Amino acid sequence: MKIESIHWRSSQPLTEDYVHNYSKVSSLFDYNPWDSRSLQERAVWLDQERGAAAEPAAAGGSAAKL
């Protein structure tokens, strides 16, 4: 996964709520990007959709393919 810093301009209410007040818009999304357990569940789902099982990471966890 590549992480890139960007300048975020405040312009869209939905986007602002997603970033700063997720509970307000959570019903619009299938998973919570701020909850690591939710991200792991999403990675498993993506792997299943691709027809591949998640491979264990070197540290003993599962490798997320986002």
Side-chain angles (χ1 to χ4, degrees):
M1 176 188 316
K2 178 181 177 182
I3 297 175
E4 183 177 338
S5 295
I6 61 170
H7 174 69
W8 191 274
R9 291 187 311 191
S10 184
S11 62
Q12 299 293 323
L14 176 61
T15 305
E16 288 301 306
D17 284 338
Y18 184 86
V19 172
H20 300 293
N21 190 14
Y22 182 75
S23 62
K24 186 174 176 182
V25 296
S26 63
S27 65
L28 302 173
F29 301 94
D30 291 332
Y31 70 100
N32 181 348
W34 311 112
D35 177 2
S36 62
R37 185 179 57 232
S38 182
L39 289 175
Q40 291 169 348
E41 290 171 4
R42 177 68 172 167
V44 168
W45 181 85
L46 288 171
D47 285 338
Q48 290 171 347
E49 287 295 305
R50 293 181 191 146
E55 297 176 20
S62 64
K65 298 176 185 174
L66 302 176

